[in-house]
């Protein structure tokens, strides 16, 4: 099999696994903004199942209230601070904090630190065409900081045209308000998908352990009307072979893996790939693959249409209450894998 390709932009076709280095992707900036959108996975790679977009920027104004009829947005802060509004709530997100914004929810965001990075999944894929429509290609190192052009000349006409072409309905009459304190409602998943969405604090919510792997859902199929899932996976090379290290194949589910800490090893169609902090790996449906931690500690966020490998681990695991990877591997029942194959539409190879 051909080795997994290391690219700088998504390939624009399905059925190809690839790795994107940190701070790469198809780069776009919205005129007069202080930020860059990095298209990491687009609808062209996923048959419009989803897209993954990273954003980096510095202090800026809120982008303006709007909602989507079909698109589901999420905001996962990686660095700095981002303010996210959803209907009548708003929170300031720091690294690891998460916000889910289902269709119909009036929302906006604001980059609110010297250097903010966040990543989001958009369902359905294809909506990222909005950024191409209103944006301009970006070729700088991180993000623009001195675009002083008149927005009424370079941005507003594009936005007005975009509201007719894309699923983005502005709500100009909604009054601005400040982010509110975290109040404890952000400590667990709601278990449903409903207008208004939810916030989740870094490290909060239930966790499960499978061998030496700790899995924590940020969004399950329950919170997304069965459309997608996002999981945090943590592991250690000290527990190699003690977790789910078998090769699996998902017939319908694509995965995007964003490495947060350490080194993650994936074997994709027989080819070994090691990814480090900030790298994105796309594993298309129909691929035979496995993963495990290559460093003493490693963590990754896993995005999937459907439950994916995160839901497998959650289903196999035992409830876990400690803040990091266990010293001793937690026992798990490998025979449960067979019972999950039909439900989650995967096969153990």
């Amino acid at each position: 099999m051909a080795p997994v390709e290391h690219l700088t932009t998504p390939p624009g076709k399905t059925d190809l696994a690839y790795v994107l280095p940190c701070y790469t992707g198809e780069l776009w900036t919205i005129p007069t903004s202080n930020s860059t959108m990095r298209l990491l996975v687009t609808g062209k790679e996923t048959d419009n199942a989803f897209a993954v977009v990273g954003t980096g920027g510095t202090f800026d104004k809120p982008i303006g209230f709007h909602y989507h009829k079909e698109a589901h947005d999420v905001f996962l802060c990686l660095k700095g601070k981002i303010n996210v509004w959803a209907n009548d709530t708003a929170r300031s997100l720091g690294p690891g904090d998460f916000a889910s914004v289902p269709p119909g929810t009036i929302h906006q965001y604001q980059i609110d630190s010297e250097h903010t990075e966040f990543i989001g999944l958009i369902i359905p894929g294809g909506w990222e065409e909005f950024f191409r429509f209103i944006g301009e290609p970006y070729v700088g190192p991180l993000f623009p900081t001195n675009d002083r052009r008149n927005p009424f000349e370079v941005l507003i006409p594009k936005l007005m045209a975009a509201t007719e072409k894309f699923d983005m309905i502005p709500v100009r009459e909604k009054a601005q308000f400040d982010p509110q304190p975290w109040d404890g409602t952000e400590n667990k998943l709601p278990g449903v998908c409903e207008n208004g969405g939810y916030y989740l604090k870094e490290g909060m919510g239930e966790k499960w352990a499978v061998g030496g792997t700790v899995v924590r859902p940020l969004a399950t199929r329950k919170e997304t009307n069965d459309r997608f899932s996002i999981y945090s996976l943590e592991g250690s090379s000290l527990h190699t072979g003690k977790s789910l290290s078998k090769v699996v194949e998902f017939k319908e589910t694509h995965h995007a893996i964003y490495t947060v800490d350490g080194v993650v090893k994936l074997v994709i169609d027989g080819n070994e790939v090691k990814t480090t902090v900030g790298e994105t790996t796309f594993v298309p449906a129909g691929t035979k693959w496995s993963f495990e931690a290559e460093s003493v500690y490693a963590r990754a966020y896993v995005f999937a249409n459907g439950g994916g490998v995160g839901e497998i681990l959650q289903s196999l695991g035992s409830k876990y209450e400690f803040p990091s990877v266990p010293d001793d591997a937690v026992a798990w029942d490998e025979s449960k894998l067979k019972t999950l194959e039909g439900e989650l539409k995967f096969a153990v190879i």
Side-chain angles (χ1 to χ4, degrees):
M1 303 292 286
V4 177
E5 294 194 45
H6 285 66
L7 308 174
T8 56
T9 60
K13 58 182 179 181
T14 58
D15 303 325
L16 181 67
Y18 61 90
V19 178
L20 294 181
C22 186
Y23 295 126
T24 64
E26 183 184 330
L27 307 183
W28 293 86
T29 183
I30 296 175
T32 74
S33 77
N34 296 331
S35 61
T36 298
M37 281 73 176
R38 307 183 187 101
L39 306 188
L40 306 174
V41 180
T42 74
K44 292 179 180 178
E45 290 77 46
T46 66
D47 288 320
N48 285 334
F50 65 83
V52 179
V53 180
T55 301
T58 190
F59 294 103
D60 213 338
K61 304 178 293 296
I63 67 166
F65 285 113
H66 62 282
Y67 70 92
H68 311 296
K69 294 179 181 178
E70 298 293 335
H72 192 141
D73 285 347
V74 301
F75 302 86
L76 175 52
C77 186
L78 302 171
K79 178 184 179 72
K81 185 172 77 169
I82 174 177
N83 301 323
V84 177
W85 287 257
N87 287 348
D88 295 323
T89 65
R91 297 291 186 272
S92 294
L93 277 58
D97 295 338
F98 176 79
S100 174
V101 180
T105 302
I106 299 172
H107 64 284
Q108 66 174 359
Y109 71 84
Q110 176 190 22
I111 292 175
D112 196 21
S113 70
E114 186 175 47
H115 181 187
T116 292
E117 295 286 338
F118 64 95
I119 191 170
L121 177 144
I122 302 173
I123 292 277
W127 197 90
E128 71 278 2
E129 290 292 339
F130 170 81
F131 299 123
R132 296 186 177 116
F133 184 83
I134 71 166
E136 299 171 347
Y138 181 68
V139 294
L142 273 178
F143 41 78
T145 58
N146 195 34
D147 187 347
R148 299 292 184 259
R149 291 176 294 172
N150 185 344
F152 288 95
E153 295 177 356
V154 296
L155 177 60
I156 302 303
K158 289 183 177 181
L159 284 174
M160 293 177 65
T163 60
E164 300 178 4
K165 187 177 178 66
F166 296 93
D167 176 21
M168 181 173 179
I169 298 92
V171 184
R172 299 182 181 90
E173 66 274 14
K174 187 170 180 65
Q176 297 288 341
F177 59 97
D178 292 334
Q180 303 140 344
W182 297 76
D183 60 13
T185 60
E186 313 88 359
N187 293 346
K188 64 178 182 179
L189 293 180
V192 295
C193 181
E194 56 188 2
N195 191 287
Y198 64 92
Y199 306 92
L200 186 68
K201 280 292 289 181
E202 157 67 353
M204 302 305 292
E206 292 183 315
K207 293 183 281 190
W208 286 261
V210 183
T213 300
V214 177
V215 55
R216 182 175 67 92
L218 283 66
T220 73
R221 291 189 292 156
K222 292 179 181 178
E223 286 79 28
T224 67
N225 277 340
D226 208 34
R227 301 175 83 184
F228 65 90
S229 64
I230 304 172
Y231 284 85
S232 168
L233 303 185
E234 299 175 79
S236 171
S237 59
L238 300 178
H239 298 312
T240 296
K242 298 175 183 177
S243 185
L244 177 62
S245 55
K246 293 183 176 297
V247 175
V248 295
E249 179 183 7
F250 292 83
K251 294 296 186 183
E252 302 175 2
T253 303
H254 306 282
H255 290 77
I257 300 105
Y258 180 89
T259 303
V260 185
D261 287 303
V263 181
V264 174
K265 182 176 78 174
L266 299 103
V267 179
I268 300 173
D269 284 336
N271 296 286
E272 184 177 293
V273 176
K274 296 178 182 179
T275 66
T276 60
V277 178
E279 294 190 323
T280 302
T281 306
F282 177 66
V283 182
T287 302
K288 299 175 178 64
W289 65 289
S290 65
F291 74 96
E292 58 187 345
E294 178 70 8
S295 52
V296 172
Y297 175 76
R299 181 162 68 114
Y301 293 123
V302 180
F303 305 83
N305 57 306
V309 73
E311 188 170 343
I312 294 178
L313 289 167
Q314 182 182 352
S315 301
L316 292 173
S318 305
K319 288 286 185 67
Y320 187 74
E321 299 179 353
F322 301 100
S324 189
V325 177
D327 290 335
D328 299 310
V330 177
W332 61 286
D333 186 356
E334 191 172 319
S335 67
K336 286 184 179 179
L337 273 172
K338 271 295 180 189
T339 64
L340 292 172
E341 283 184 314
E343 178 186 350
L344 298 181
K345 299 179 181 178
F346 75 98
V348 178
I349 305 303

